[in-house]
mmCIF file of all heavy atoms in Angstrom:
data_model
loop_
_atom_site.group_PDB
_atom_site.id
_atom_site.type_symbol
_atom_site.label_atom_id
_atom_site.label_comp_id
_atom_site.label_asym_id
_atom_site.label_seq_id
_atom_site.Cartn_x
_atom_site.Cartn_y
_atom_site.Cartn_z
ATOM 1 N N LEU A 765 0.823 -1.214 -0.003
ATOM 2 C CA LEU A 765 -0.002 0.002 0.000
ATOM 3 C C LEU A 765 0.857 1.259 0.004
ATOM 4 O O LEU A 765 0.506 2.255 -0.653
ATOM 5 C CB LEU A 765 -0.930 0.005 1.215
ATOM 6 C CG LEU A 765 -2.244 -0.764 1.072
ATOM 7 C CD1 LEU A 765 -2.955 -0.861 2.407
ATOM 8 C CD2 LEU A 765 -3.147 -0.097 0.050
ATOM 9 N N LEU A 766 1.961 1.250 0.745
ATOM 10 C CA LEU A 766 2.858 2.413 0.739
ATOM 11 C C LEU A 766 3.365 2.703 -0.672
ATOM 12 O O LEU A 766 3.517 3.868 -1.061
ATOM 13 C CB LEU A 766 4.038 2.177 1.676
ATOM 14 C CG LEU A 766 3.749 2.167 3.184
ATOM 15 C CD1 LEU A 766 5.021 1.893 3.958
ATOM 16 C CD2 LEU A 766 3.125 3.479 3.628
ATOM 17 N N MET A 767 3.636 1.657 -1.421
ATOM 18 C CA MET A 767 4.125 1.830 -2.790
ATOM 19 C C MET A 767 3.012 2.259 -3.736
ATOM 20 O O MET A 767 3.235 3.039 -4.666
ATOM 21 C CB MET A 767 4.755 0.524 -3.272
ATOM 22 C CG MET A 767 5.981 0.096 -2.484
ATOM 23 S SD MET A 767 7.287 1.356 -2.473
ATOM 24 C CE MET A 767 7.685 1.430 -4.219
ATOM 25 N N GLU A 768 1.799 1.771 -3.485
ATOM 26 C CA GLU A 768 0.685 2.011 -4.415
ATOM 27 C C GLU A 768 -0.064 3.310 -4.131
ATOM 28 O O GLU A 768 -0.659 3.893 -5.041
ATOM 29 C CB GLU A 768 -0.305 0.845 -4.339
ATOM 30 C CG GLU A 768 0.266 -0.488 -4.808
ATOM 31 C CD GLU A 768 -0.600 -1.657 -4.378
ATOM 32 O OE1 GLU A 768 -1.683 -1.431 -3.768
ATOM 33 O OE2 GLU A 768 -0.211 -2.817 -4.652
ATOM 34 N N GLN A 769 -0.057 3.762 -2.859
ATOM 35 C CA GLN A 769 -0.884 4.910 -2.491
ATOM 36 C C GLN A 769 -0.080 5.965 -1.712
ATOM 37 O O GLN A 769 -0.319 6.209 -0.528
ATOM 38 C CB GLN A 769 -2.074 4.445 -1.654
ATOM 39 C CG GLN A 769 -3.008 3.498 -2.385
ATOM 40 C CD GLN A 769 -4.231 3.124 -1.556
ATOM 41 O OE1 GLN A 769 -4.647 3.835 -0.643
ATOM 42 N NE2 GLN A 769 -4.821 1.987 -1.895
ATOM 43 N N PRO A 770 0.872 6.622 -2.369
ATOM 44 C CA PRO A 770 1.646 7.667 -1.685
ATOM 45 C C PRO A 770 0.786 8.837 -1.227
ATOM 46 O O PRO A 770 1.205 9.617 -0.370
ATOM 47 C CB PRO A 770 2.660 8.106 -2.750
ATOM 48 C CG PRO A 770 2.041 7.722 -4.061
ATOM 49 C CD PRO A 770 1.280 6.456 -3.779
ATOM 50 N N GLU A 771 -0.412 8.950 -1.775
ATOM 51 C CA GLU A 771 -1.292 10.040 -1.353
ATOM 52 C C GLU A 771 -1.692 9.939 0.124
ATOM 53 O O GLU A 771 -2.069 10.937 0.737
ATOM 54 C CB GLU A 771 -2.552 10.088 -2.226
ATOM 55 C CG GLU A 771 -3.439 8.853 -2.178
ATOM 56 C CD GLU A 771 -3.067 7.800 -3.217
ATOM 57 O OE1 GLU A 771 -1.946 7.851 -3.761
ATOM 58 O OE2 GLU A 771 -3.919 6.922 -3.471
ATOM 59 N N LEU A 772 -1.599 8.734 0.698
ATOM 60 C CA LEU A 772 -1.863 8.601 2.136
ATOM 61 C C LEU A 772 -0.871 9.441 2.938
ATOM 62 O O LEU A 772 -1.253 10.133 3.895
ATOM 63 C CB LEU A 772 -1.750 7.140 2.566
ATOM 64 C CG LEU A 772 -2.887 6.194 2.174
ATOM 65 C CD1 LEU A 772 -2.507 4.747 2.509
ATOM 66 C CD2 LEU A 772 -4.176 6.584 2.870
ATOM 67 N N ILE A 773 0.398 9.394 2.550
ATOM 68 C CA ILE A 773 1.429 10.156 3.261
ATOM 69 C C ILE A 773 1.259 11.643 2.985
ATOM 70 O O ILE A 773 1.445 12.482 3.882
ATOM 71 C CB ILE A 773 2.832 9.650 2.866
ATOM 72 C CG1 ILE A 773 2.970 8.170 3.226
ATOM 73 C CG2 ILE A 773 3.915 10.467 3.557
ATOM 74 C CD1 ILE A 773 4.245 7.517 2.749
ATOM 75 N N GLU A 774 0.896 11.994 1.771
ATOM 76 C CA GLU A 774 0.651 13.402 1.449
ATOM 77 C C GLU A 774 -0.476 13.969 2.303
ATOM 78 O O GLU A 774 -0.380 15.096 2.813
ATOM 79 C CB GLU A 774 0.303 13.536 -0.036
ATOM 80 C CG GLU A 774 1.452 13.190 -0.981
ATOM 81 C CD GLU A 774 1.013 13.086 -2.431
ATOM 82 O OE1 GLU A 774 -0.160 13.423 -2.715
ATOM 83 O OE2 GLU A 774 1.829 12.657 -3.267
ATOM 84 N N GLN A 775 -1.533 13.190 2.509
ATOM 85 C CA GLN A 775 -2.649 13.643 3.345
ATOM 86 C C GLN A 775 -2.225 13.781 4.798
ATOM 87 O O GLN A 775 -2.633 14.714 5.501
ATOM 88 C CB GLN A 775 -3.819 12.672 3.242
ATOM 89 C CG GLN A 775 -5.078 13.130 3.984
ATOM 90 C CD GLN A 775 -5.614 14.438 3.468
ATOM 91 O OE1 GLN A 775 -5.813 14.605 2.263
ATOM 92 N NE2 GLN A 775 -5.827 15.406 4.367
ATOM 93 N N LEU A 776 -1.378 12.862 5.247
ATOM 94 C CA LEU A 776 -0.848 12.941 6.609
ATOM 95 C C LEU A 776 -0.135 14.275 6.831
ATOM 96 O O LEU A 776 -0.357 14.956 7.842
ATOM 97 C CB LEU A 776 0.111 11.777 6.858
ATOM 98 C CG LEU A 776 0.952 11.844 8.138
ATOM 99 C CD1 LEU A 776 0.056 11.779 9.368
ATOM 100 C CD2 LEU A 776 1.968 10.711 8.157
ATOM 101 N N TRP A 777 0.701 14.668 5.881
ATOM 102 C CA TRP A 777 1.452 15.910 6.024
ATOM 103 C C TRP A 777 0.573 17.143 5.880
ATOM 104 O O TRP A 777 0.791 18.155 6.566
ATOM 105 C CB TRP A 777 2.630 15.924 5.056
ATOM 106 C CG TRP A 777 3.725 15.036 5.564
ATOM 107 C CD1 TRP A 777 3.980 13.741 5.212
ATOM 108 C CD2 TRP A 777 4.687 15.370 6.565
ATOM 109 N NE1 TRP A 777 5.041 13.251 5.928
ATOM 110 C CE2 TRP A 777 5.501 14.221 6.757
ATOM 111 C CE3 TRP A 777 4.959 16.515 7.300
ATOM 112 C CZ2 TRP A 777 6.552 14.199 7.673
ATOM 113 C CZ3 TRP A 777 6.003 16.501 8.209
ATOM 114 C CH2 TRP A 777 6.789 15.352 8.392
ATOM 115 N N ASP A 778 -0.433 17.086 5.015
ATOM 116 C CA ASP A 778 -1.385 18.203 4.917
ATOM 117 C C ASP A 778 -2.098 18.414 6.251
ATOM 118 O O ASP A 778 -2.232 19.556 6.725
ATOM 119 C CB ASP A 778 -2.416 17.927 3.817
ATOM 120 C CG ASP A 778 -1.857 18.108 2.420
ATOM 121 O OD1 ASP A 778 -0.756 18.684 2.287
ATOM 122 O OD2 ASP A 778 -2.510 17.654 1.453
ATOM 123 N N ASN A 779 -2.565 17.333 6.843
ATOM 124 C CA ASN A 779 -3.245 17.430 8.141
ATOM 125 C C ASN A 779 -2.317 17.940 9.221
ATOM 126 O O ASN A 779 -2.709 18.731 10.101
ATOM 127 C CB ASN A 779 -3.811 16.061 8.531
ATOM 128 C CG ASN A 779 -5.063 15.696 7.758
ATOM 129 O OD1 ASN A 779 -5.644 16.526 7.056
ATOM 130 N ND2 ASN A 779 -5.475 14.440 7.876
ATOM 131 N N THR A 780 -1.069 17.467 9.177
ATOM 132 C CA THR A 780 -0.093 17.883 10.182
ATOM 133 C C THR A 780 0.143 19.387 10.153
ATOM 134 O O THR A 780 0.131 20.059 11.202
ATOM 135 C CB THR A 780 1.247 17.140 9.950
ATOM 136 O OG1 THR A 780 1.039 15.732 10.155
ATOM 137 C CG2 THR A 780 2.328 17.634 10.898
ATOM 138 N N GLU A 781 0.356 19.936 8.964
ATOM 139 C CA GLU A 781 0.626 21.371 8.850
ATOM 140 C C GLU A 781 -0.581 22.197 9.279
ATOM 141 O O GLU A 781 -0.443 23.243 9.925
ATOM 142 C CB GLU A 781 1.040 21.713 7.419
ATOM 143 C CG GLU A 781 2.365 21.086 6.987
ATOM 144 C CD GLU A 781 3.492 21.377 7.977
ATOM 145 O OE1 GLU A 781 3.587 22.526 8.456
ATOM 146 O OE2 GLU A 781 4.270 20.444 8.276
ATOM 147 N N PHE A 782 -1.771 21.727 8.939
ATOM 148 C CA PHE A 782 -2.988 22.433 9.343
ATOM 149 C C PHE A 782 -3.101 22.493 10.868
ATOM 150 O O PHE A 782 -3.369 23.568 11.439
ATOM 151 C CB PHE A 782 -4.208 21.714 8.757
ATOM 152 C CG PHE A 782 -5.534 22.255 9.247
ATOM 153 C CD1 PHE A 782 -6.066 23.409 8.700
ATOM 154 C CD2 PHE A 782 -6.235 21.605 10.262
ATOM 155 C CE1 PHE A 782 -7.278 23.916 9.155
ATOM 156 C CE2 PHE A 782 -7.448 22.098 10.717
ATOM 157 C CZ PHE A 782 -7.974 23.258 10.163
ATOM 158 N N PHE A 783 -2.865 21.364 11.520
ATOM 159 C CA PHE A 783 -3.054 21.326 12.972
ATOM 160 C C PHE A 783 -1.945 22.067 13.714
ATOM 161 O O PHE A 783 -2.216 22.805 14.663
ATOM 162 C CB PHE A 783 -3.138 19.868 13.441
ATOM 163 C CG PHE A 783 -3.643 19.736 14.853
ATOM 164 C CD1 PHE A 783 -4.983 19.966 15.135
ATOM 165 C CD2 PHE A 783 -2.801 19.379 15.895
ATOM 166 C CE1 PHE A 783 -5.477 19.848 16.429
ATOM 167 C CE2 PHE A 783 -3.280 19.247 17.187
ATOM 168 C CZ PHE A 783 -4.617 19.491 17.465
ATOM 169 N N ARG A 784 -0.701 21.897 13.285
ATOM 170 C CA ARG A 784 0.397 22.562 13.984
ATOM 171 C C ARG A 784 0.264 24.086 13.879
ATOM 172 O O ARG A 784 0.415 24.805 14.876
ATOM 173 C CB ARG A 784 1.756 22.123 13.436
ATOM 174 C CG ARG A 784 2.904 22.837 14.137
ATOM 175 C CD ARG A 784 4.294 22.335 13.822
ATOM 176 N NE ARG A 784 4.425 21.838 12.491
ATOM 177 C CZ ARG A 784 4.659 20.562 12.194
ATOM 178 N NH1 ARG A 784 4.783 19.670 13.157
ATOM 179 N NH2 ARG A 784 4.782 20.182 10.940
ATOM 180 N N SER A 785 -0.032 24.581 12.675
ATOM 181 C CA SER A 785 -0.182 26.034 12.526
ATOM 182 C C SER A 785 -1.359 26.541 13.341
ATOM 183 O O SER A 785 -1.304 27.633 13.923
ATOM 184 C CB SER A 785 -0.352 26.402 11.050
ATOM 185 O OG SER A 785 -1.533 25.821 10.496
ATOM 186 N N GLY A 786 -2.421 25.727 13.451
ATOM 187 C CA GLY A 786 -3.563 26.125 14.266
ATOM 188 C C GLY A 786 -3.211 26.249 15.739
ATOM 189 O O GLY A 786 -3.612 27.216 16.406
ATOM 190 N N LEU A 787 -2.465 25.289 16.264
ATOM 191 C CA LEU A 787 -2.033 25.362 17.665
ATOM 192 C C LEU A 787 -1.141 26.574 17.907
ATOM 193 O O LEU A 787 -1.282 27.280 18.916
ATOM 194 C CB LEU A 787 -1.276 24.086 18.050
ATOM 195 C CG LEU A 787 -2.102 22.820 18.264
ATOM 196 C CD1 LEU A 787 -1.173 21.624 18.490
ATOM 197 C CD2 LEU A 787 -3.047 22.948 19.463
ATOM 198 N N GLN A 788 -0.229 26.814 16.994
ATOM 199 C CA GLN A 788 0.690 27.938 17.157
ATOM 200 C C GLN A 788 -0.038 29.268 17.098
ATOM 201 O O GLN A 788 0.258 30.193 17.873
ATOM 202 C CB GLN A 788 1.797 27.867 16.099
ATOM 203 C CG GLN A 788 2.733 26.694 16.295
ATOM 204 C CD GLN A 788 3.699 26.494 15.134
ATOM 205 O OE1 GLN A 788 3.513 27.058 14.057
ATOM 206 N NE2 GLN A 788 4.714 25.674 15.342
ATOM 207 N N GLU A 789 -1.022 29.376 16.205
ATOM 208 C CA GLU A 789 -1.807 30.615 16.133
ATOM 209 C C GLU A 789 -2.597 30.873 17.414
ATOM 210 O O GLU A 789 -2.828 32.025 17.785
ATOM 211 C CB GLU A 789 -2.745 30.550 14.929
ATOM 212 C CG GLU A 789 -2.029 30.684 13.587
ATOM 213 C CD GLU A 789 -2.928 30.361 12.412
ATOM 214 O OE1 GLU A 789 -4.165 30.204 12.627
ATOM 215 O OE2 GLU A 789 -2.412 30.244 11.284
ATOM 216 N N LEU A 790 -2.964 29.793 18.094
ATOM 217 C CA LEU A 790 -3.676 29.938 19.369
ATOM 218 C C LEU A 790 -2.748 30.360 20.508
ATOM 219 O O LEU A 790 -3.222 30.795 21.556
ATOM 220 C CB LEU A 790 -4.365 28.617 19.729
ATOM 221 C CG LEU A 790 -5.581 28.224 18.882
ATOM 222 C CD1 LEU A 790 -6.015 26.791 19.205
ATOM 223 C CD2 LEU A 790 -6.731 29.200 19.105
ATOM 224 N N GLY A 791 -1.444 30.202 20.299
ATOM 225 C CA GLY A 791 -0.483 30.608 21.324
ATOM 226 C C GLY A 791 0.138 29.463 22.101
ATOM 227 O O GLY A 791 0.847 29.695 23.080
ATOM 228 N N PHE A 792 -0.089 28.228 21.655
ATOM 229 C CA PHE A 792 0.515 27.076 22.332
ATOM 230 C C PHE A 792 1.963 26.896 21.893
ATOM 231 O O PHE A 792 2.348 27.226 20.766
ATOM 232 C CB PHE A 792 -0.264 25.801 22.015
ATOM 233 C CG PHE A 792 -1.593 25.710 22.718
ATOM 234 C CD1 PHE A 792 -2.774 25.927 22.017
ATOM 235 C CD2 PHE A 792 -1.664 25.409 24.064
ATOM 236 C CE1 PHE A 792 -4.003 25.849 22.653
ATOM 237 C CE2 PHE A 792 -2.897 25.317 24.713
ATOM 238 C CZ PHE A 792 -4.062 25.542 24.007
ATOM 239 N N ASP A 793 2.768 26.357 22.808
ATOM 240 C CA ASP A 793 4.171 26.050 22.541
ATOM 241 C C ASP A 793 4.266 24.633 21.993
ATOM 242 O O ASP A 793 4.028 23.668 22.715
ATOM 243 C CB ASP A 793 4.981 26.176 23.836
ATOM 244 C CG ASP A 793 6.457 25.851 23.660
ATOM 245 O OD1 ASP A 793 6.893 25.596 22.527
ATOM 246 O OD2 ASP A 793 7.181 25.851 24.689
ATOM 247 N N THR A 794 4.609 24.502 20.707
ATOM 248 C CA THR A 794 4.743 23.181 20.091
ATOM 249 C C THR A 794 6.201 22.757 19.963
ATOM 250 O O THR A 794 6.497 21.786 19.268
ATOM 251 C CB THR A 794 4.062 23.157 18.706
ATOM 252 O OG1 THR A 794 4.678 24.126 17.855
ATOM 253 C CG2 THR A 794 2.571 23.461 18.823
ATOM 254 N N GLY A 795 7.094 23.452 20.619
ATOM 255 C CA GLY A 795 8.499 23.060 20.647
ATOM 256 C C GLY A 795 9.128 23.047 19.271
ATOM 257 O O GLY A 795 8.844 23.895 18.425
ATOM 258 N N ALA A 796 9.979 22.050 19.049
ATOM 259 C CA ALA A 796 10.749 21.961 17.803
ATOM 260 C C ALA A 796 10.115 21.003 16.791
ATOM 261 O O ALA A 796 10.751 20.626 15.813
ATOM 262 C CB ALA A 796 12.174 21.514 18.111
ATOM 263 N N SER A 797 8.860 20.629 16.999
ATOM 264 C CA SER A 797 8.218 19.623 16.157
ATOM 265 C C SER A 797 8.166 20.041 14.696
ATOM 266 O O SER A 797 7.800 21.177 14.361
ATOM 267 C CB SER A 797 6.793 19.364 16.642
ATOM 268 O OG SER A 797 6.080 18.570 15.708
ATOM 269 N N THR A 798 8.516 19.091 13.817
ATOM 270 C CA THR A 798 8.356 19.281 12.375
ATOM 271 C C THR A 798 7.677 18.065 11.741
ATOM 272 O O THR A 798 7.727 17.892 10.528
ATOM 273 C CB THR A 798 9.725 19.507 11.692
ATOM 274 O OG1 THR A 798 10.592 18.410 11.986
ATOM 275 C CG2 THR A 798 10.362 20.807 12.156
ATOM 276 N N THR A 799 7.068 17.215 12.549
ATOM 277 C CA THR A 799 6.466 15.960 12.086
ATOM 278 C C THR A 799 5.041 15.830 12.640
ATOM 279 O O THR A 799 4.577 16.721 13.357
ATOM 280 C CB THR A 799 7.300 14.757 12.563
ATOM 281 O OG1 THR A 799 7.175 14.634 13.997
ATOM 282 C CG2 THR A 799 8.767 14.908 12.186
ATOM 283 N N PRO A 800 4.339 14.739 12.325
ATOM 284 C CA PRO A 800 2.979 14.568 12.864
ATOM 285 C C PRO A 800 2.910 14.387 14.379
ATOM 286 O O PRO A 800 1.800 14.351 14.933
ATOM 287 C CB PRO A 800 2.484 13.312 12.145
ATOM 288 C CG PRO A 800 3.260 13.275 10.869
ATOM 289 C CD PRO A 800 4.614 13.756 11.253
ATOM 290 N N ILE A 801 4.037 14.248 15.056
ATOM 291 C CA ILE A 801 4.052 14.290 16.525
ATOM 292 C C ILE A 801 4.162 15.759 16.935
ATOM 293 O O ILE A 801 5.189 16.406 16.689
ATOM 294 C CB ILE A 801 5.236 13.506 17.106
ATOM 295 C CG1 ILE A 801 5.160 12.031 16.716
ATOM 296 C CG2 ILE A 801 5.303 13.654 18.619
ATOM 297 C CD1 ILE A 801 6.419 11.246 17.049
ATOM 298 N N ILE A 802 3.110 16.290 17.530
ATOM 299 C CA ILE A 802 3.083 17.707 17.873
ATOM 300 C C ILE A 802 2.813 17.841 19.376
ATOM 301 O O ILE A 802 1.685 17.657 19.834
ATOM 302 C CB ILE A 802 1.999 18.458 17.085
ATOM 303 C CG1 ILE A 802 2.154 18.189 15.578
ATOM 304 C CG2 ILE A 802 2.079 19.956 17.372
ATOM 305 C CD1 ILE A 802 1.037 18.763 14.727
ATOM 306 N N PRO A 803 3.841 18.164 20.170
ATOM 307 C CA PRO A 803 3.621 18.337 21.598
ATOM 308 C C PRO A 803 3.039 19.710 21.909
ATOM 309 O O PRO A 803 3.340 20.702 21.220
ATOM 310 C CB PRO A 803 5.030 18.207 22.182
ATOM 311 C CG PRO A 803 5.914 18.733 21.099
ATOM 312 C CD PRO A 803 5.255 18.341 19.792
ATOM 313 N N VAL A 804 2.204 19.765 22.911
ATOM 314 C CA VAL A 804 1.784 21.040 23.493
ATOM 315 C C VAL A 804 2.476 21.111 24.855
ATOM 316 O O VAL A 804 2.075 20.442 25.813
ATOM 317 C CB VAL A 804 0.249 21.119 23.630
ATOM 318 C CG1 VAL A 804 -0.155 22.368 24.401
ATOM 319 C CG2 VAL A 804 -0.407 21.100 22.254
ATOM 320 N N ILE A 805 3.555 21.869 24.907
ATOM 321 C CA ILE A 805 4.417 21.876 26.081
ATOM 322 C C ILE A 805 3.840 22.807 27.136
ATOM 323 O O ILE A 805 3.624 23.999 26.892
ATOM 324 C CB ILE A 805 5.855 22.273 25.698
ATOM 325 C CG1 ILE A 805 6.407 21.261 24.680
ATOM 326 C CG2 ILE A 805 6.741 22.315 26.940
ATOM 327 C CD1 ILE A 805 7.741 21.628 24.093
ATOM 328 N N VAL A 806 3.608 22.267 28.321
ATOM 329 C CA VAL A 806 3.010 23.006 29.433
ATOM 330 C C VAL A 806 4.045 23.297 30.506
ATOM 331 O O VAL A 806 4.093 24.378 31.073
ATOM 332 C CB VAL A 806 1.814 22.216 30.020
ATOM 333 C CG1 VAL A 806 1.229 22.944 31.209
ATOM 334 C CG2 VAL A 806 0.767 21.979 28.942
ATOM 335 N N GLY A 807 4.894 22.312 30.797
ATOM 336 C CA GLY A 807 5.921 22.480 31.831
ATOM 337 C C GLY A 807 5.527 21.809 33.125
ATOM 338 O O GLY A 807 6.098 20.788 33.522
ATOM 339 N N ASP A 808 4.526 22.357 33.803
ATOM 340 C CA ASP A 808 4.069 21.823 35.082
ATOM 341 C C ASP A 808 3.337 20.494 34.887
ATOM 342 O O ASP A 808 2.424 20.381 34.058
ATOM 343 C CB ASP A 808 3.144 22.832 35.750
ATOM 344 C CG ASP A 808 2.621 22.344 37.088
ATOM 345 O OD1 ASP A 808 3.374 22.376 38.064
ATOM 346 O OD2 ASP A 808 1.450 21.888 37.132
ATOM 347 N N GLU A 809 3.744 19.477 35.682
ATOM 348 C CA GLU A 809 3.192 18.136 35.521
ATOM 349 C C GLU A 809 1.687 18.092 35.782
ATOM 350 O O GLU A 809 0.910 17.533 35.005
ATOM 351 C CB GLU A 809 3.907 17.142 36.449
ATOM 352 C CG GLU A 809 5.213 16.610 35.913
ATOM 353 C CD GLU A 809 6.391 17.564 36.100
ATOM 354 O OE1 GLU A 809 6.191 18.615 36.738
ATOM 355 O OE2 GLU A 809 7.488 17.256 35.604
ATOM 356 N N ARG A 810 1.272 18.701 36.892
ATOM 357 C CA ARG A 810 -0.153 18.652 37.237
ATOM 358 C C ARG A 810 -1.008 19.373 36.198
ATOM 359 O O ARG A 810 -2.083 18.891 35.813
ATOM 360 C CB ARG A 810 -0.375 19.271 38.619
ATOM 361 C CG ARG A 810 0.093 18.396 39.773
ATOM 362 C CD ARG A 810 -0.250 19.047 41.112
ATOM 363 N NE ARG A 810 0.145 18.208 42.225
ATOM 364 C CZ ARG A 810 -0.588 17.212 42.706
ATOM 365 N NH1 ARG A 810 -1.746 16.932 42.154
ATOM 366 N NH2 ARG A 810 -0.155 16.504 43.735
ATOM 367 N N LYS A 811 -0.528 20.511 35.741
ATOM 368 C CA LYS A 811 -1.317 21.278 34.773
ATOM 369 C C LYS A 811 -1.394 20.546 33.434
ATOM 370 O O LYS A 811 -2.437 20.574 32.763
ATOM 371 C CB LYS A 811 -0.712 22.670 34.592
ATOM 372 C CG LYS A 811 -1.560 23.582 33.706
ATOM 373 C CD LYS A 811 -1.118 25.038 33.789
ATOM 374 C CE LYS A 811 -1.591 25.690 35.062
ATOM 375 N NZ LYS A 811 -1.388 27.170 35.019
#
């Protein structure tokens, strides 16, 4: 499937950019993420 349907990966990256930019525009700290793993860094464990 990876060989036959590269559009799956393209969609993954489109979704990733949409969500990361949305979090950043809201003011969240997403650290150094450049992949579909996007942390929202808070610092305090309880919070």
Side-chain angles (χ1 to χ4, degrees):
L765 276 171
L766 290 179
M767 297 303 297
E768 296 165 3
Q769 298 184 23
E771 62 271 17
L772 286 172
I773 300 173
E774 294 169 8
Q775 185 61 51
L776 169 64
W777 284 97
D778 285 347
N779 285 349
T780 295
E781 295 308 318
F782 173 80
F783 194 72
R784 179 171 32 247
S785 62
L787 286 174
Q788 292 171 346
E789 288 169 9
L790 289 171
F792 286 105
D793 179 4
T794 60
S797 170
T798 56
T799 69
I801 299 170
I802 307 174
V804 173
I805 300 173
V806 177
D808 180 76
E809 277 80 5
R810 286 184 178 276
K811 186 167 283 191

